[in-house]
Amino acid sequence: MVTKMRNHRGRPLLTIILSAALSLLLFPLSSQGQEGGRLTFQDLMKVRQIQQPSISANGEWIALAAVPDRGDGEVQVHSTTSGTEYVVPLASAPIFSKDGNWVAMRLGPSFEARETAERGDAPRAGLALLETRTGEVESWEEIRGFGFSPDGAWMAIRPYPTEDSGEEEGSPGAGGGQEGTGEDEGRTRDDPGTALLLRELASGSELRIPDVASYAFDETGVWVAYVVASPEGQFDGLFVRPLEVDGEAVRLDGGVFWTAETLGWWEEGPRLA
């Protein structure tokens, strides 16, 4: 992943938004004006819309997606204090971590890849993670979901399942499996859970938990709860673990082919709802 970085004189936030909008919308108009010709269909295809603008909680960064009618879009991340700007090609839907140090965004396939893909075999989107302090970008392929912990210290990443993703014996810290009844023998789930990656952003350390059906961070960013739905049901249950690289998971409830309809935390205090 290549990130372009531009520097401008420090400008107020409103000026950044207006100048970005004008540059995106007026570029094809100015080009055709200089050439003395009429506005063409190709010129119109260069016009990009500003979508999904957001500002970091500390007010120091603004992110937006610049999306053309046809072609490849990008995410622009502007500093409101130093004039620094980062550009991530093929990205969209940017979100900030609470501390503003990270921007996560959907990383799409190129326009050409989408147009040339065979029907039913469209390329899957990935994930790009930008560190605003350095401009460095890390990317993952085939990611179906992601999100920051409330304090911005951790990130949850949900890859798409793969055909050969045979899950190992139990989740990290989950303990052993449970014996099923005779009626469960030979039964398998139609929709088992998939891997959950928990990344500590400061260190880059990752934890991989297999067969996760759903998860939820608590509001303090200290705990994560998750439901395991394993293919054969023997590792199923509700688990909670501290958000620490060496933290151990505790099974709160479970059983063979155990399920939970909803998962969430109370707004006050570390209690599961």
Side-chain angles (χ1 to χ4, degrees):
M1 171 59 60
V2 178
T3 304
K4 303 176 183 177
M5 182 171 66
R6 309 186 193 121
N7 287 292
H8 307 278
R9 293 181 299 173
R11 297 168 294 176
L13 177 60
L14 181 58
T15 304
I16 292 175
I17 297 174
L18 291 177
S19 61
L22 289 173
S23 64
L24 292 174
L25 293 175
L26 297 183
F27 170 75
L29 301 180
S30 60
S31 298
Q32 64 89 24
Q34 292 173 359
E35 296 171 359
R38 295 183 177 181
L39 185 64
T40 67
F41 178 77
Q42 287 73 22
D43 292 327
L44 290 175
M45 291 300 98
K46 296 177 183 178
V47 176
R48 293 180 291 175
Q49 298 179 359
I50 292 179
Q51 297 180 359
Q52 305 148 336
S54 61
I55 187 169
S56 61
N58 58 16
E60 295 181 358
W61 296 94
I62 181 171
L64 56 89
V67 183
D69 183 66
R70 290 174 63 85
D72 297 325
E74 64 185 24
V75 161
Q76 300 179 6
V77 181
H78 303 260
S79 170
T80 62
T81 58
S82 68
T84 299
E85 176 188 335
Y86 303 120
V87 178
V88 183
L90 302 178
S92 62
I95 59 172
F96 283 102
S97 61
K98 183 178 181 180
D99 55 15
N101 290 334
W102 305 89
V103 187
M105 60 202 82
R106 176 74 57 191
L107 191 61
S110 67
F111 176 76
E112 180 180 2
R114 298 194 306 269
E115 289 293 295
T116 57
E118 296 182 4
R119 181 173 298 181
D121 192 29
R124 291 170 169 173
L127 162 68
L129 181 65
L130 165 72
E131 184 176 4
T132 56
R133 292 168 295 188
T134 64
E136 294 183 1
V137 176
E138 190 166 357
S139 61
W140 293 259
E141 295 181 350
E142 298 195 350
I143 300 299
R144 65 187 179 96
F146 53 87
F148 292 110
S149 62
D151 61 354
W154 287 76
M155 186 174 189
I157 303 173
R158 302 300 308 273
Y160 282 100
T162 58
E163 294 181 0
D164 58 348
S165 60
E167 300 292 7
E168 55 268 33
E169 295 240 340
S171 304
Q178 300 185 15
E179 294 294 333
T181 63
E183 63 184 19
D184 292 324
E185 187 174 351
R187 176 185 169 191
T188 58
R189 285 183 183 275
D190 294 330
D191 56 346
T194 57
L196 169 65
L197 302 181
L198 295 174
R199 180 183 179 90
E200 185 181 42
L201 295 172
S203 67
S205 299
E206 288 186 359
L207 307 171
R208 182 182 183 277
I209 307 174
D211 299 330
V212 173
S214 59
Y215 75 95
F217 292 117
D218 81 311
E219 289 299 319
T220 65
V222 174
W223 301 90
V224 62
Y226 56 93
V227 173
V228 169
S230 55
E232 297 180 357
Q234 72 271 40
F235 299 113
D236 292 0
L238 170 62
F239 299 85
V240 63
R241 69 176 297 154
L243 285 170
E244 301 171 357
V245 175
D246 299 324
E248 294 187 2
V250 176
R251 187 198 300 261
L252 302 181
D253 199 356
V256 177
F257 292 108
W258 186 90
T259 61
E261 294 184 0
T262 60
L263 178 63
W265 294 84
W266 290 96
E267 294 183 0
E268 298 181 1
R271 295 184 298 165
L272 284 169

Coordinates of all heavy atoms in Angstrom, one line a residue, residues 175-205:
G175 N -10.3 -23.2 27.0 CA -10.4 -24.4 27.7 C -10.8 -25.5 26.7 O -10.9 -25.3 25.5
G176 N -11.0 -26.7 27.2 CA -11.3 -27.8 26.3 C -12.7 -27.8 25.9 O -13.6 -27.1 26.3
G177 N -13.0 -28.7 24.9 CA -14.4 -28.8 24.4 C -15.2 -29.7 25.3 O -14.8 -30.2 26.3
Q178 N -16.5 -29.8 24.9 CA -17.5 -30.5 25.7 C -18.0 -31.7 24.9 O -18.2 -31.6 23.7 CB -18.6 -29.6 26.2 CG -18.1 -28.5 27.1 CD -19.3 -27.7 27.6 OE1 -20.4 -28.1 27.6 NE2 -19.0 -26.5 28.1
E179 N -18.3 -32.8 25.6 CA -18.9 -33.9 24.9 C -20.3 -33.7 24.5 O -21.1 -33.2 25.3 CB -18.8 -35.2 25.8 CG -17.4 -35.6 26.1 CD -16.7 -36.1 24.8 OE1 -17.4 -36.6 23.9 OE2 -15.4 -36.0 24.7
G180 N -20.7 -34.1 23.3 CA -22.1 -33.9 22.9 C -22.9 -35.1 23.2 O -22.4 -36.2 23.6
T181 N -24.2 -35.0 23.1 CA -25.1 -36.1 23.3 C -25.2 -36.9 22.0 O -24.6 -36.6 21.0 CB -26.5 -35.6 23.6 OG1 -27.0 -34.8 22.5 CG2 -26.5 -34.7 24.8
G182 N -25.8 -38.1 22.1 CA -25.8 -39.0 21.0 C -26.5 -38.4 19.8 O -26.2 -38.6 18.7
E183 N -27.6 -37.5 20.1 CA -28.3 -36.9 19.0 C -27.5 -35.8 18.3 O -27.8 -35.5 17.2 CB -29.6 -36.3 19.5 CG -29.4 -35.2 20.5 CD -30.7 -34.7 21.1 OE1 -31.7 -35.4 21.0 OE2 -30.7 -33.6 21.6
D184 N -26.4 -35.3 18.9 CA -25.6 -34.3 18.3 C -24.4 -35.0 17.5 O -23.8 -34.3 16.8 CB -25.0 -33.4 19.4 CG -26.0 -32.6 20.0 OD1 -26.9 -32.1 19.3 OD2 -25.9 -32.3 21.3
E185 N -24.2 -36.3 17.6 CA -23.1 -36.9 17.0 C -23.2 -36.8 15.5 O -24.3 -37.1 14.9 CB -23.0 -38.4 17.4 CG -21.8 -39.1 16.9 CD -21.7 -40.5 17.4 OE1 -22.4 -40.8 18.3 OE2 -20.8 -41.2 17.0
G186 N -22.2 -36.3 14.8 CA -22.2 -36.2 13.4 C -22.8 -34.9 12.9 O -22.8 -34.6 11.7
R187 N -23.4 -34.1 13.8 CA -24.1 -32.9 13.4 C -23.0 -31.8 13.2 O -22.1 -31.7 14.0 CB -25.1 -32.5 14.5 CG -25.8 -31.1 14.2 CD -26.7 -30.8 15.4 NE -27.1 -29.4 15.4 CZ -27.8 -28.8 16.4 NH1 -28.0 -29.4 17.5 NH2 -28.1 -27.5 16.2
T188 N -23.2 -30.9 12.3 CA -22.4 -29.7 12.1 C -23.2 -28.5 11.9 O -24.4 -28.6 11.4 CB -21.4 -29.9 10.9 OG1 -22.2 -30.1 9.7 CG2 -20.5 -31.1 11.1
R189 N -22.7 -27.3 12.2 CA -23.4 -26.1 12.0 C -23.4 -25.7 10.5 O -22.5 -25.9 9.8 CB -22.7 -24.9 12.8 CG -22.9 -24.9 14.3 CD -22.2 -23.7 14.9 NE -22.3 -23.7 16.3 CZ -23.3 -23.3 17.0 NH1 -24.3 -22.8 16.3 NH2 -23.3 -23.3 18.3
D190 N -24.5 -25.1 10.1 CA -24.6 -24.5 8.8 C -23.9 -23.2 8.7 O -23.4 -22.8 7.6 CB -26.1 -24.3 8.4 CG -26.9 -25.6 8.3 OD1 -26.2 -26.6 7.9 OD2 -28.1 -25.6 8.6
D191 N -23.8 -22.4 9.8 CA -23.2 -21.1 9.8 C -22.3 -20.9 11.0 O -22.6 -20.2 11.9 CB -24.2 -20.0 9.7 CG -25.2 -20.1 10.8 OD1 -25.3 -21.2 11.5 OD2 -26.0 -19.1 11.1
P192 N -21.2 -21.6 11.1 CA -20.3 -21.4 12.2 C -19.7 -20.1 12.2 O -19.7 -19.3 11.2 CB -19.2 -22.5 12.0 CG -19.2 -22.7 10.5 CD -20.6 -22.5 10.1
G193 N -19.1 -19.7 13.4 CA -18.4 -18.4 13.5 C -17.1 -18.4 12.6 O -16.7 -19.4 12.1
T194 N -16.5 -17.2 12.6 CA -15.3 -17.1 11.8 C -14.2 -16.4 12.7 O -14.5 -16.0 13.9 CB -15.5 -16.2 10.6 OG1 -16.0 -14.9 11.0 CG2 -16.5 -16.8 9.6
A195 N -13.0 -16.3 12.2 CA -11.9 -15.8 13.1 C -12.2 -14.3 13.5 O -12.7 -13.5 12.7 CB -10.6 -15.9 12.3
L196 N -11.7 -14.0 14.7 CA -11.7 -12.6 15.2 C -10.2 -12.3 15.5 O -9.6 -13.0 16.3 CB -12.6 -12.5 16.4 CG -12.4 -11.2 17.2 CD1 -12.9 -10.0 16.4 CD2 -13.2 -11.3 18.5
L197 N -9.7 -11.3 14.8 CA -8.4 -10.8 15.1 C -8.5 -9.6 16.0 O -9.2 -8.6 15.7 CB -7.6 -10.5 13.8 CG -7.5 -11.5 12.8 CD1 -6.7 -11.0 11.6 CD2 -6.8 -12.8 13.4
L198 N -7.8 -9.6 17.1 CA -7.7 -8.5 18.1 C -6.3 -7.9 18.0 O -5.3 -8.6 18.3 CB -8.0 -8.9 19.5 CG -9.5 -9.4 19.7 CD1 -9.6 -9.9 21.1 CD2 -10.5 -8.3 19.4
R199 N -6.1 -6.7 17.6 CA -4.8 -6.1 17.4 C -4.6 -5.0 18.4 O -5.4 -4.0 18.4 CB -4.7 -5.6 15.9 CG -3.3 -4.9 15.6 CD -3.4 -4.3 14.2 NE -2.1 -3.7 13.8 CZ -1.1 -4.2 13.3 NH1 -1.2 -5.5 13.0 NH2 0.0 -3.6 13.0
E200 N -3.5 -5.1 19.1 CA -3.1 -4.0 20.0 C -2.3 -3.0 19.1 O -1.3 -3.3 18.6 CB -2.2 -4.5 21.1 CG -1.8 -3.4 22.1 CD -0.9 -4.0 23.2 OE1 0.0 -4.7 22.9 OE2 -1.1 -3.6 24.4
L201 N -2.9 -1.8 19.0 CA -2.4 -0.9 18.0 C -1.0 -0.4 18.3 O -0.2 -0.2 17.4 CB -3.4 0.3 17.8 CG -4.7 -0.1 17.2 CD1 -5.7 1.0 17.3 CD2 -4.6 -0.6 15.8
A202 N -0.7 -0.1 19.5 CA 0.6 0.5 19.9 C 1.8 -0.5 19.6 O 2.8 -0.1 19.1 CB 0.6 0.8 21.4
S203 N 1.6 -1.8 19.8 CA 2.6 -2.8 19.6 C 2.5 -3.5 18.3 O 3.5 -4.1 17.9 CB 2.6 -3.8 20.8 OG 1.4 -4.6 20.7
G204 N 1.3 -3.6 17.7 CA 1.1 -4.4 16.5 C 0.9 -5.8 16.8 O 0.7 -6.6 15.9
S205 N 0.8 -6.2 18.1 CA 0.6 -7.6 18.5 C -0.9 -8.0 18.2 O -1.8 -7.2 18.3 CB 0.8 -7.8 20.0 OG 2.2 -7.6 20.3

